[in-house]
Amino acid sequence: MDKDYDLVFETPRGKWSGYLIFMIEKQALNGVLNIGSANASFFGGTFDERQFSFKGSIYFHYLHLNYQVKGEWLSDMIQGNLYIRHMKFNFKGYPHIRKHQP
């Protein structure tokens, strides 16, 4: 099962956009996190019917940084927190709408 979300991160300097693609296979949460122009794959995240979490490292603004994401599934969106070093960013995610080509 794949889930694809468009994300909005709230930071002290404004909002950043990104996306999150979950690939759920055999009780493992794998996928791709995008923040601005940075992408990071993650493997072995945990989830249940209410919440999810995963961690990894991302190459961001010329730095290789460890991150952690903790979030919750809501009926029509996701929300949670992204932790990088000592910083915490709130995010909201809405299902990505794919436009079908004629």
Side-chain angles (χ1 to χ4, degrees):
M1 175 173 61
D2 291 359
K3 294 178 182 258
D4 191 348
Y5 293 93
D6 293 319
L7 300 180
V8 176
F9 294 92
E10 296 177 12
T11 73
R13 295 185 178 180
K15 295 184 178 184
W16 289 354
S17 61
Y19 60 84
L20 181 58
I21 301 172
F22 291 117
M23 291 158 273
I24 301 171
E25 300 171 353
K26 298 180 183 175
Q27 299 301 313
L29 187 64
N30 304 323
V32 176
L33 172 67
N34 169 275
I35 307 166
S37 61
N39 288 323
S41 298
F42 59 89
F43 304 95
T46 61
F47 70 98
D48 60 27
E49 63 278 350
R50 295 186 58 215
Q51 54 197 1
F52 59 89
S53 67
F54 58 90
K55 57 187 170 181
S57 62
I58 190 166
Y59 191 68
F60 191 66
H61 287 271
Y62 306 105
L63 297 171
H64 204 88
L65 303 171
N66 291 327
Y67 71 87
Q68 183 173 10
V69 169
K70 292 183 179 182
E72 61 183 336
W73 313 104
L74 301 173
S75 60
D76 60 346
M77 63 179 283
I78 59 174
Q79 69 180 14
N81 298 304
L82 165 68
Y83 303 90
I84 298 179
R85 289 189 175 172
H86 61 280
M87 299 173 288
K88 173 182 162 184
F89 303 103
N90 298 325
F91 69 84
K92 293 183 179 181
Y94 301 91
H96 179 70
I97 306 300
R98 298 188 193 284
K99 294 189 168 98
H100 296 285
Q101 299 295 327

